[in-house]
Amino acid sequence: MGRKLKIAMVGHKRVPSREGGIEIVVEELSTRMVAKGHNVTLYNRGGHHVSGKEFDSQKFTEYKGVKLKSVLTIDKKGFAAVSSSFFGALKAAFGKYDVVHFHAEGTCVFMWIPKMMRKRCVTTVHGLDWQREKWRGGFGSKFIHYGEKQAVKHADEIIVLSEGVQKYFRKEYGRKTVLIPNGVNKPEVVEADEIKQRWGLEKDGYILFLGRIVPEKGIKYLVEAYKRVKTDKKLVIAGGASDTDKFLQELKTMVGDNVIFTGFVSGRTLDELYSNAYIYCLPSDLEGMPLSLLEAMSYGNCCVVSDIDECASVIEDKAIVMKKGNVSDLREKLQLLCGDRGLVEKYKSEAAEFIVRTIEEVYVG
């Protein structure tokens, strides 16, 4: 591709960060586009950092060639995403950009602003966010759903991550979308060192959940199922809360000594958790396309996932599938794997690898 583009991205929390799947996608996409010679600016959210207060004061202006700009953010529950999206869209509208890339449906409420300035607008729908438990039935759900409709109305292209969401847009709006599944890089498998020192975790000595601590991830199902499994393996729940501290505290009251909450993890600790798990479990009710699942498989993990399309379509026959929301079924699957190391090794050896795909052609149109 000969033309070099000026691209702005809005809707994520911040980069560099692993606060969620969107942030991982934005980081990978923006740095790869810069490596191809394009000019990329990310409008980062201000305020509190999910990965811990110690990161709140960190200010970056550039990351691997990507320009980083912080936008005004009302740092209160329910207002942070809305305010940062508005000001990000406003700055992108009046900036010298060829393309404005919106991430997540709620952000698209403000897509009309750069469209008014005749910018080409692309959105990635990372999931049907208005269905998430923390927004369900309230203003947040209605706001995000409205953003979805604005994306249908204004976006030059809509990118979706799964066939299920692609079918949804076709059926609900008659809108054509571009299917570009998420992908991950091939990682380096590392030995248990930090995780052994911090939590006493050994190779193949634990079942791992890694993701945001939110109800729709099905963590409560996992905790309830694990309590009924006869095993000496620990359960590790890794990830930060996202406006869900009450839910996190509820989970902690349900567990015993063999359940470890690590909090937000990154870097070497994250690599070690993935590299040494016996089983990775993601019993979600709702997903976009879970990057944590792709990462877990890329490390060669035996995975147990719910039968929602966004998970089942990723794994093909390379992992174990459980019935969504069925604690008894999940317990049976975990008990089977805890008692059959040969089966676990079979799935480990067959775990798929995935590659990141380019979206340059989507930007140009």
Side-chain angles (χ1 to χ4, degrees):
M1 176 176 290
R3 184 185 176 192
K4 302 305 179 184
L5 301 171
K6 293 182 178 179
I7 305 161
M9 296 190 191
V10 300
H12 58 285
K13 293 185 179 72
R14 77 208 82 208
V15 170
S17 169
R18 287 188 60 96
E19 294 188 59
I22 292 177
E23 286 68 47
I24 297 171
V25 170
V26 170
E27 179 178 332
E28 285 286 343
L29 178 57
S30 61
T31 54
R32 286 167 184 266
M33 294 302 288
V34 165
K36 287 178 175 288
H38 302 292
N39 185 306
V40 183
T41 300
L42 304 185
Y43 284 100
N44 281 345
R45 186 185 300 183
H48 178 57
H49 205 293
V50 171
S51 52
K53 292 182 179 180
E54 64 271 23
F55 296 94
D56 288 351
S57 60
Q58 290 186 351
K59 302 293 183 183
F60 297 93
T61 58
E62 186 174 313
Y63 176 71
K64 294 184 178 180
V66 178
K67 297 181 180 67
L68 305 177
K69 296 184 179 181
S70 293
V71 295
L72 181 63
T73 303
I74 301 173
D75 196 14
K76 293 183 179 181
K77 183 178 179 180
F79 291 96
V82 174
S83 58
S84 61
S85 295
F86 170 75
F87 288 110
L90 190 65
K91 284 181 173 290
F94 289 94
K96 295 181 179 181
Y97 301 111
D98 302 303
V99 181
V100 183
H101 192 152
F102 287 75
H103 290 270
E105 292 184 324
T107 313
C108 297
V109 167
F110 306 111
M111 187 178 286
W112 62 272
I113 304 175
K115 286 301 294 184
M116 187 173 62
M117 303 303 294
R118 299 185 179 181
K119 296 288 195 296
R120 180 172 176 82
C121 291
V122 173
T123 184
T124 295
V125 176
H126 293 262
L128 303 179
D129 294 334
W130 57 273
Q131 296 179 358
R132 296 189 184 280
E133 184 68 30
K134 70 176 180 179
W135 304 122
R136 189 171 296 172
F139 173 76
S141 177
K142 293 181 175 63
F143 181 86
I144 296 169
H145 204 183
Y146 179 69
E148 177 180 289
K149 294 176 181 178
Q150 291 299 294
V152 170
K153 180 179 180 180
H154 293 298
D156 293 283
E157 295 286 358
I158 297 175
I159 300 167
V160 296
L161 310 182
S162 70
E163 290 183 0
V165 175
Q166 187 173 49
K167 291 176 182 176
Y168 167 81
F169 274 90
R170 188 183 305 124
K171 179 180 179 181
E172 191 72 16
Y173 304 105
R175 176 66 198 249
K176 181 182 176 183
T177 58
V178 180
L179 175 62
I180 306 180
N182 281 336
V184 292
N185 298 310
K186 183 177 176 62
E188 177 185 356
V189 176
V190 295
E191 295 182 356
D193 182 12
E194 291 182 11
I195 62 173
K196 183 176 181 179
Q197 294 180 34
R198 294 179 67 179
W199 300 294
L201 297 174
E202 303 277 359
K203 173 71 174 175
D204 291 333
Y206 56 95
I207 298 166
L208 174 66
F209 166 87
L210 195 148
R212 289 180 300 119
I213 309 301
V214 292
E216 61 266 21
K217 293 286 186 181
I219 310 170
K220 187 178 288 188
Y221 309 142
L222 177 56
V223 170
E224 292 176 349
Y226 173 77
K227 288 162 65 175
R228 304 178 197 175
V229 175
K230 296 179 181 178
T231 182
D232 59 355
K233 300 189 186 302
K234 297 177 180 179
L235 173 60
V236 176
I237 298 175
S242 178
D243 294 328
T244 52
D245 291 333
K246 185 178 179 181
F247 176 66
L248 175 59
Q249 294 306 315
E250 181 185 350
L251 287 175
K252 288 182 176 180
T253 63
M254 297 171 58
V255 303
D257 295 337
N258 270 359
V259 180
I260 298 168
F261 290 86
T262 68
F264 179 84
V265 292
S266 62
R268 171 77 188 198
T269 305
L270 178 72
D271 293 336
E272 289 187 15
L273 285 172
Y274 274 136
S275 296
N276 297 283
Y278 183 68
I279 299 168
Y280 173 82
C281 187
L282 186 68
S284 300
D285 289 329
L286 179 69
E287 287 286 352
M289 173 174 277
L291 270 171
S292 60
L293 173 58
L294 302 184
E295 288 179 330
M297 294 187 77
S298 74
Y299 277 86
N301 274 290
C302 172
C303 298
V304 178
V305 302
S306 59
D307 59 2
I308 60 174
D309 178 73
E310 290 78 7
C311 290
S313 63
V314 169
I315 62 168
E316 298 180 356
D317 60 347
K318 303 291 190 298
I320 297 284
V321 177
M322 57 156 286
K323 297 174 184 176
K324 184 184 79 169
N326 192 317
V327 174
S328 295
D329 188 47
L330 177 55
R331 186 205 67 79
E332 290 177 9
K333 300 292 169 53
L334 292 178
Q335 189 67 71
L336 171 66
L337 294 171
C338 285
D340 192 339
R341 188 178 184 87
L343 183 60
V344 170
E345 292 301 327
K346 171 183 177 294
Y347 281 108
K348 282 178 178 286
S349 67
E350 294 178 352
E353 295 183 1
F354 298 87
I355 34 180
V356 177
R357 305 185 184 188
T358 180
I359 66 161
E360 286 179 283
E361 57 269 25
V362 177
Y363 285 152
V364 174

Coordinates of all heavy atoms in Angstrom, one line a residue, residues 118-187:
R118 N -16.3 15.5 7.9 CA -16.1 14.7 6.7 C -14.9 13.7 6.9 O -14.1 13.5 6.0 CB -15.8 15.6 5.5 CG -17.1 16.4 5.2 CD -16.9 17.3 3.9 NE -18.1 18.0 3.7 CZ -18.3 18.8 2.6 NH1 -17.3 18.9 1.7 NH2 -19.4 19.5 2.4
K119 N -14.7 13.2 8.1 CA -13.7 12.2 8.3 C -14.3 10.8 8.0 O -15.5 10.5 8.2 CB -13.3 12.2 9.8 CG -12.6 13.5 10.3 CD -11.2 13.6 9.7 CE -10.4 14.7 10.5 NZ -10.9 16.0 10.3
R120 N -13.4 9.9 7.5 CA -13.8 8.5 7.3 C -13.8 7.9 8.7 O -12.8 8.0 9.4 CB -12.8 7.8 6.4 CG -13.2 6.4 6.1 CD -12.3 5.7 5.0 NE -12.6 4.3 4.9 CZ -13.6 3.8 4.2 NH1 -14.4 4.6 3.6 NH2 -13.8 2.5 4.1
C121 N -14.9 7.2 9.0 CA -15.0 6.6 10.3 C -15.2 5.1 10.2 O -16.0 4.6 9.5 CB -16.2 7.2 11.1 SG -16.0 8.9 11.6
V122 N -14.4 4.4 11.0 CA -14.4 2.9 11.1 C -14.6 2.6 12.6 O -14.1 3.3 13.5 CB -13.1 2.3 10.6 CG1 -13.0 0.8 10.9 CG2 -12.8 2.6 9.2
T123 N -15.4 1.6 12.8 CA -15.6 1.1 14.2 C -15.3 -0.4 14.3 O -15.7 -1.1 13.4 CB -17.0 1.4 14.8 OG1 -17.1 1.0 16.1 CG2 -18.1 0.7 14.0
T124 N -14.8 -0.8 15.4 CA -14.7 -2.2 15.8 C -15.6 -2.5 16.9 O -15.5 -1.9 18.0 CB -13.2 -2.6 16.2 OG1 -12.3 -2.4 15.1 CG2 -13.2 -4.0 16.6
V125 N -16.6 -3.4 16.7 CA -17.5 -3.8 17.7 C -16.9 -5.0 18.4 O -16.8 -6.1 17.9 CB -18.9 -4.2 17.1 CG1 -19.8 -4.7 18.1 CG2 -19.5 -3.0 16.4
H126 N -16.4 -4.8 19.6 CA -15.7 -5.8 20.3 C -16.6 -6.8 21.0 O -16.2 -7.8 21.5 CB -14.7 -5.2 21.4 CG -13.6 -4.4 20.7 ND1 -12.3 -5.0 20.6 CD2 -13.5 -3.2 20.2 CE1 -11.5 -4.1 20.0 NE2 -12.2 -3.0 19.7
G127 N -17.9 -6.4 21.1 CA -18.9 -7.2 21.7 C -20.2 -6.4 21.8 O -20.2 -5.2 21.6
L128 N -21.3 -7.1 22.0 CA -22.6 -6.4 22.2 C -22.7 -5.9 23.6 O -23.3 -6.5 24.5 CB -23.7 -7.3 21.8 CG -23.7 -7.8 20.4 CD1 -24.9 -8.8 20.1 CD2 -23.6 -6.7 19.3
D129 N -22.0 -4.8 23.9 CA -21.7 -4.3 25.3 C -23.0 -4.0 26.0 O -23.0 -4.0 27.3 CB -20.7 -3.1 25.3 CG -19.4 -3.5 24.8 OD1 -19.0 -4.7 24.9 OD2 -18.6 -2.7 24.3
W130 N -24.0 -3.6 25.3 CA -25.3 -3.2 26.0 C -25.9 -4.4 26.7 O -26.8 -4.2 27.6 CB -26.2 -2.6 25.1 CG -26.6 -3.4 23.9 CD1 -25.9 -3.4 22.7 CD2 -27.7 -4.3 23.7 NE1 -26.6 -4.3 21.8 CE2 -27.7 -4.8 22.4 CE3 -28.8 -4.6 24.6 CZ2 -28.6 -5.7 21.9 CZ3 -29.7 -5.5 24.1 CH2 -29.6 -6.1 22.8
Q131 N -25.5 -5.6 26.4 CA -26.0 -6.8 27.0 C -25.3 -7.2 28.3 O -25.7 -8.1 29.0 CB -25.9 -8.0 26.0 CG -26.8 -7.8 24.8 CD -26.7 -9.0 23.9 OE1 -26.0 -10.0 24.1 NE2 -27.5 -9.0 22.8
R132 N -24.2 -6.5 28.6 CA -23.4 -6.9 29.8 C -24.1 -6.6 31.1 O -24.9 -5.7 31.2 CB -22.0 -6.1 29.8 CG -21.2 -6.4 28.6 CD -19.8 -5.8 28.7 NE -19.0 -6.1 27.5 CZ -18.3 -7.2 27.3 NH1 -18.4 -8.2 28.1 NH2 -17.6 -7.4 26.2
E133 N -23.8 -7.5 32.0 CA -24.6 -7.5 33.3 C -24.5 -6.1 34.0 O -25.5 -5.7 34.5 CB -24.0 -8.6 34.2 CG -24.7 -8.7 35.5 CD -26.1 -9.3 35.4 OE1 -26.3 -10.1 34.4 OE2 -27.0 -9.0 36.2
K134 N -23.4 -5.5 34.0 CA -23.3 -4.2 34.8 C -24.1 -3.1 34.2 O -24.3 -2.1 34.8 CB -21.8 -3.8 34.9 CG -21.1 -3.3 33.7 CD -19.7 -2.9 34.0 CE -19.0 -2.3 32.8 NZ -17.6 -1.9 33.1
W135 N -24.5 -3.2 32.9 CA -25.3 -2.2 32.2 C -26.8 -2.5 32.1 O -27.6 -1.7 31.8 CB -24.8 -1.9 30.8 CG -23.3 -1.5 30.8 CD1 -22.3 -2.1 30.1 CD2 -22.7 -0.4 31.4 NE1 -21.1 -1.5 30.2 CE2 -21.3 -0.4 31.1 CE3 -23.1 0.6 32.3 CZ2 -20.4 0.5 31.6 CZ3 -22.2 1.5 32.8 CH2 -20.9 1.5 32.4
R136 N -27.1 -3.8 32.2 CA -28.4 -4.3 31.9 C -29.5 -3.6 32.6 O -29.5 -3.4 33.8 CB -28.4 -5.8 32.2 CG -29.7 -6.5 31.6 CD -29.6 -8.0 31.8 NE -28.5 -8.6 31.0 CZ -28.1 -9.8 31.0 NH1 -28.7 -10.7 31.9 NH2 -27.1 -10.2 30.2
G137 N -30.5 -3.2 31.8 CA -31.7 -2.6 32.4 C -31.6 -1.1 32.8 O -32.6 -0.5 33.2
G138 N -30.4 -0.5 32.7 CA -30.3 0.8 33.1 C -29.9 1.8 31.9 O -30.0 1.4 30.8
F139 N -29.6 3.0 32.3 CA -29.2 4.0 31.3 C -28.0 3.6 30.5 O -28.0 3.8 29.3 CB -28.9 5.3 32.0 CG -28.4 6.4 31.1 CD1 -29.3 7.0 30.2 CD2 -27.1 6.7 31.0 CE1 -28.8 8.0 29.3 CE2 -26.6 7.7 30.2 CZ -27.4 8.3 29.3
G140 N -27.0 2.9 31.1 CA -25.8 2.5 30.4 C -26.2 1.6 29.2 O -25.6 1.8 28.1
S141 N -27.1 0.7 29.4 CA -27.5 -0.3 28.4 C -28.1 0.5 27.2 O -27.8 0.3 26.0 CB -28.4 -1.3 28.9 OG -28.9 -2.2 27.9
K142 N -29.0 1.4 27.5 CA -29.7 2.2 26.5 C -28.7 3.1 25.7 O -28.8 3.3 24.5 CB -30.8 3.1 27.1 CG -31.9 2.3 27.7 CD -33.0 3.2 28.3 CE -34.2 2.4 28.8 NZ -33.9 1.5 29.9
F143 N -27.7 3.7 26.5 CA -26.7 4.5 25.9 C -25.9 3.8 24.9 O -25.6 4.2 23.7 CB -25.9 5.2 26.9 CG -24.8 6.1 26.4 CD1 -25.1 7.4 26.2 CD2 -23.5 5.7 26.2 CE1 -24.1 8.3 25.7 CE2 -22.5 6.5 25.7 CZ -22.8 7.8 25.5
I144 N -25.4 2.6 25.3 CA -24.5 1.8 24.4 C -25.3 1.3 23.2 O -24.8 1.2 22.1 CB -23.9 0.6 25.3 CG1 -23.0 1.2 26.4 CG2 -23.1 -0.3 24.4 CD1 -22.5 0.2 27.4
H145 N -26.6 0.9 23.5 CA -27.4 0.4 22.4 C -27.6 1.5 21.3 O -27.6 1.2 20.1 CB -28.7 -0.1 22.9 CG -29.4 -1.1 22.0 ND1 -30.6 -1.7 22.3 CD2 -29.0 -1.7 20.8 CE1 -31.0 -2.5 21.3 NE2 -30.0 -2.5 20.4
Y146 N -27.8 2.7 21.8 CA -27.9 3.9 20.9 C -26.6 4.0 20.1 O -26.6 4.4 18.9 CB -28.2 5.1 21.7 CG -28.3 6.4 20.9 CD1 -29.4 6.5 20.0 CD2 -27.4 7.4 21.0 CE1 -29.5 7.7 19.2 CE2 -27.5 8.5 20.2 CZ -28.6 8.7 19.3 OH -28.7 9.8 18.6
G147 N -25.5 3.8 20.8 CA -24.2 3.9 20.1 C -24.1 2.9 19.0 O -23.5 3.2 17.9
E148 N -24.6 1.7 19.2 CA -24.7 0.7 18.2 C -25.4 1.2 16.9 O -25.0 1.0 15.8 CB -25.3 -0.6 18.7 CG -25.5 -1.7 17.7 CD -26.1 -2.9 18.4 OE1 -25.5 -3.6 19.2 OE2 -27.3 -3.2 18.1
K149 N -26.6 1.8 17.2 CA -27.4 2.3 16.1 C -26.7 3.5 15.4 O -26.8 3.6 14.1 CB -28.7 2.8 16.6 CG -29.6 1.6 17.2 CD -30.9 2.1 17.8 CE -31.7 0.9 18.4 NZ -32.9 1.3 19.1
Q150 N -26.0 4.3 16.1 CA -25.2 5.3 15.5 C -24.1 4.8 14.6 O -23.8 5.4 13.5 CB -24.6 6.3 16.5 CG -25.7 7.1 17.3 CD -26.5 8.0 16.3 OE1 -25.9 8.9 15.7 NE2 -27.8 7.7 16.1
A151 N -23.5 3.7 15.0 CA -22.4 3.1 14.2 C -23.0 2.6 12.9 O -22.4 2.8 11.8 CB -21.8 1.9 15.0
V152 N -24.2 2.0 13.0 CA -24.9 1.5 11.8 C -25.2 2.7 10.8 O -25.1 2.5 9.6 CB -26.2 0.7 12.2 CG1 -27.0 0.5 10.9 CG2 -25.9 -0.5 12.9
K153 N -25.6 3.8 11.4 CA -25.9 5.0 10.6 C -24.7 5.7 10.0 O -24.8 6.1 8.8 CB -26.7 5.9 11.5 CG -27.2 7.2 10.8 CD -28.0 8.1 11.7 CE -28.4 9.4 11.0 NZ -29.2 10.2 12.0
H154 N -23.7 5.8 10.8 CA -22.6 6.7 10.4 C -21.3 6.1 9.9 O -20.5 6.7 9.1 CB -22.2 7.7 11.5 CG -23.3 8.6 11.9 ND1 -23.8 9.6 11.0 CD2 -24.0 8.8 13.1 CE1 -24.7 10.3 11.6 NE2 -24.9 9.8 12.9
A155 N -21.0 4.9 10.4 CA -19.7 4.3 10.1 C -19.5 3.9 8.6 O -20.4 3.4 8.0 CB -19.5 3.0 11.0
D156 N -18.4 4.2 8.1 CA -18.1 3.8 6.7 C -17.8 2.3 6.7 O -18.2 1.7 5.7 CB -16.8 4.6 6.2 CG -17.1 6.0 6.1 OD1 -17.7 6.4 5.1 OD2 -16.7 6.8 7.0
E157 N -17.2 1.8 7.7 CA -17.1 0.3 7.8 C -17.3 -0.1 9.3 O -16.8 0.6 10.2 CB -15.7 -0.2 7.4 CG -15.4 0.1 5.9 CD -16.2 -0.9 5.0 OE1 -16.9 -1.8 5.5 OE2 -16.0 -0.8 3.7
I158 N -17.9 -1.3 9.5 CA -18.0 -1.8 10.8 C -17.3 -3.2 10.8 O -17.5 -4.0 10.0 CB -19.5 -2.1 11.2 CG1 -20.3 -0.8 11.3 CG2 -19.6 -2.8 12.6 CD1 -21.8 -0.9 11.5
I159 N -16.3 -3.3 11.8 CA -15.6 -4.5 11.9 C -16.1 -5.3 13.1 O -16.4 -4.7 14.2 CB -14.1 -4.2 12.2 CG1 -13.5 -3.4 11.0 CG2 -13.3 -5.5 12.5 CD1 -12.1 -2.8 11.4
V160 N -16.4 -6.6 12.9 CA -16.8 -7.4 14.0 C -15.8 -8.6 14.1 O -15.1 -8.9 13.2 CB -18.2 -8.0 13.7 CG1 -19.3 -6.9 13.6 CG2 -18.3 -8.8 12.4
L161 N -15.9 -9.2 15.3 CA -14.9 -10.2 15.7 C -15.3 -11.6 15.5 O -14.5 -12.6 15.6 CB -14.4 -10.0 17.1 CG -14.0 -8.6 17.5 CD1 -13.5 -8.5 18.9 CD2 -12.9 -8.0 16.5
S162 N -16.7 -11.8 15.4 CA -17.2 -13.2 15.3 C -18.3 -13.3 14.3 O -19.0 -12.3 14.0 CB -17.7 -13.7 16.7 OG -18.8 -13.0 17.0
E163 N -18.6 -14.5 13.8 CA -19.7 -14.7 12.9 C -21.0 -14.4 13.5 O -21.9 -14.0 12.8 CB -19.6 -16.1 12.3 CG -18.4 -16.4 11.4 CD -18.4 -17.8 10.8 OE1 -19.4 -18.6 11.2 OE2 -17.5 -18.1 10.1
G164 N -21.1 -14.7 14.8 CA -22.4 -14.5 15.5 C -22.8 -13.0 15.5 O -23.9 -12.7 15.3
V165 N -21.8 -12.2 15.8 CA -22.1 -10.7 15.8 C -22.3 -10.2 14.4 O -23.2 -9.4 14.1 CB -21.0 -9.9 16.5 CG1 -21.2 -8.4 16.4 CG2 -20.8 -10.3 17.9
Q166 N -21.6 -10.8 13.4 CA -21.9 -10.5 12.0 C -23.3 -10.8 11.6 O -24.0 -10.0 10.9 CB -20.9 -11.2 11.1 CG -20.9 -10.7 9.7 CD -19.8 -11.3 8.8 OE1 -19.6 -12.5 8.9 NE2 -19.1 -10.5 8.1
K167 N -23.8 -11.9 12.0 CA -25.2 -12.4 11.7 C -26.2 -11.4 12.4 O -27.2 -11.1 11.8 CB -25.4 -13.8 12.1 CG -24.6 -14.8 11.3 CD -24.8 -16.2 11.8 CE -24.0 -17.2 11.0 NZ -24.1 -18.6 11.6
Y168 N -25.8 -11.0 13.6 CA -26.7 -10.1 14.4 C -26.9 -8.8 13.6 O -28.0 -8.3 13.5 CB -26.1 -9.8 15.7 CG -26.7 -8.7 16.5 CD1 -27.9 -8.9 17.2 CD2 -26.1 -7.4 16.5 CE1 -28.5 -7.8 17.9 CE2 -26.7 -6.4 17.1 CZ -27.9 -6.5 17.8 OH -28.5 -5.5 18.5
F169 N -25.8 -8.2 13.1 CA -25.9 -6.9 12.4 C -26.7 -7.1 11.1 O -27.4 -6.2 10.7 CB -24.6 -6.3 12.1 CG -24.1 -5.5 13.3 CD1 -23.3 -6.0 14.3 CD2 -24.4 -4.1 13.4 CE1 -22.9 -5.3 15.4 CE2 -23.9 -3.4 14.4 CZ -23.2 -3.9 15.5
R170 N -26.5 -8.2 10.4 CA -27.2 -8.5 9.2 C -28.7 -8.6 9.4 O -29.5 -8.1 8.7 CB -26.6 -9.7 8.5 CG -27.2 -10.0 7.1 CD -26.7 -11.3 6.5 NE -25.2 -11.3 6.5 CZ -24.5 -12.3 7.1 NH1 -25.1 -13.3 7.7 NH2 -23.2 -12.3 7.1
K171 N -29.1 -9.4 10.5 CA -30.5 -9.6 10.8 C -31.2 -8.4 11.4 O -32.3 -8.1 11.0 CB -30.6 -10.8 11.8 CG -32.0 -11.1 12.2 CD -32.0 -12.3 13.1 CE -33.5 -12.6 13.6 NZ -33.5 -13.8 14.5
E172 N -30.5 -7.7 12.3 CA -31.1 -6.6 13.0 C -31.2 -5.3 12.2 O -32.2 -4.6 12.2 CB -30.3 -6.3 14.3 CG -31.0 -5.4 15.3 CD -32.2 -6.0 16.0 OE1 -32.3 -7.2 16.0 OE2 -33.0 -5.2 16.5
Y173 N -30.1 -5.1 11.4 CA -30.1 -3.8 10.6 C -29.9 -4.0 9.1 O -30.0 -3.0 8.4 CB -28.9 -3.0 11.2 CG -28.9 -2.7 12.6 CD1 -28.1 -3.4 13.5 CD2 -29.8 -1.8 13.2 CE1 -28.1 -3.2 14.9 CE2 -29.8 -1.5 14.6 CZ -29.0 -2.2 15.4 OH -29.0 -2.0 16.7
G174 N -29.7 -5.2 8.7 CA -29.4 -5.4 7.3 C -28.1 -4.7 6.9 O -27.9 -4.3 5.7
R175 N -27.2 -4.6 7.8 CA -25.9 -3.9 7.6 C -24.8 -4.9 7.4 O -24.6 -5.9 8.1 CB -25.6 -3.1 8.9 CG -24.3 -2.4 8.8 CD -24.2 -1.3 7.8 NE -22.8 -0.9 7.5 CZ -22.3 0.3 7.8 NH1 -23.0 1.2 8.4 NH2 -21.1 0.5 7.4
K176 N -24.1 -4.7 6.3 CA -22.9 -5.4 6.0 C -21.7 -5.1 6.9 O -21.5 -3.9 7.2 CB -22.5 -5.2 4.5 CG -21.2 -6.0 4.1 CD -20.9 -5.6 2.7 CE -19.6 -6.3 2.3 NZ -19.2 -6.0 0.9
T177 N -21.0 -6.1 7.4 CA -19.9 -5.8 8.3 C -18.7 -6.6 7.8 O -18.8 -7.5 6.9 CB -20.2 -6.3 9.7 OG1 -20.5 -7.7 9.7 CG2 -21.3 -5.5 10.3
V178 N -17.5 -6.2 8.3 CA -16.3 -6.9 7.9 C -15.8 -7.8 9.1 O -15.7 -7.3 10.2 CB -15.1 -5.9 7.6 CG1 -13.9 -6.6 7.2 CG2 -15.6 -4.9 6.5
L179 N -15.7 -9.1 8.8 CA -15.2 -10.0 9.9 C -13.7 -10.1 9.9 O -13.1 -10.6 9.0 CB -15.8 -11.4 9.6 CG -15.4 -12.5 10.6 CD1 -15.8 -12.2 12.0 CD2 -16.0 -13.8 10.1
I180 N -13.2 -9.6 11.0 CA -11.7 -9.7 11.3 C -11.5 -10.2 12.7 O -11.5 -9.5 13.7 CB -11.0 -8.4 11.1 CG1 -11.3 -7.8 9.7 CG2 -9.5 -8.6 11.3 CD1 -10.6 -6.5 9.5
P181 N -11.4 -11.6 12.9 CA -11.2 -12.1 14.3 C -9.9 -11.6 14.9 O -9.0 -11.3 14.2 CB -11.2 -13.6 14.0 CG -11.8 -13.8 12.7 CD -11.5 -12.6 11.9
N182 N -9.9 -11.5 16.2 CA -8.7 -11.1 16.9 C -7.7 -12.2 16.7 O -8.0 -13.3 16.4 CB -9.0 -11.0 18.4 CG -9.7 -9.6 18.8 OD1 -9.5 -8.7 18.0 ND2 -10.4 -9.6 19.9
G183 N -6.4 -11.8 17.0 CA -5.3 -12.8 16.9 C -4.3 -12.4 18.0 O -4.4 -11.4 18.6
V184 N -3.4 -13.3 18.2 CA -2.3 -13.1 19.1 C -1.0 -13.5 18.5 O -0.9 -14.3 17.6 CB -2.5 -13.9 20.4 CG1 -3.7 -13.4 21.2 CG2 -2.7 -15.4 20.2
N185 N 0.1 -13.0 19.1 CA 1.4 -13.4 18.7 C 1.9 -14.7 19.4 O 1.3 -15.1 20.4 CB 2.5 -12.3 19.1 CG 2.2 -11.0 18.5 OD1 2.0 -10.9 17.3 ND2 2.1 -9.9 19.3
K186 N 2.8 -15.4 18.8 CA 3.3 -16.6 19.3 C 4.2 -16.3 20.5 O 5.1 -15.5 20.4 CB 4.1 -17.4 18.3 CG 4.7 -18.7 18.8 CD 5.4 -19.5 17.7 CE 6.0 -20.7 18.3 NZ 5.0 -21.7 18.7
P187 N 3.8 -16.7 21.7 CA 4.6 -16.3 22.9 C 5.7 -17.3 23.3 O 5.9 -18.3 22.7 CB 3.5 -16.5 24.0 CG 2.7 -17.7 23.6 CD 2.7 -17.6 22.1

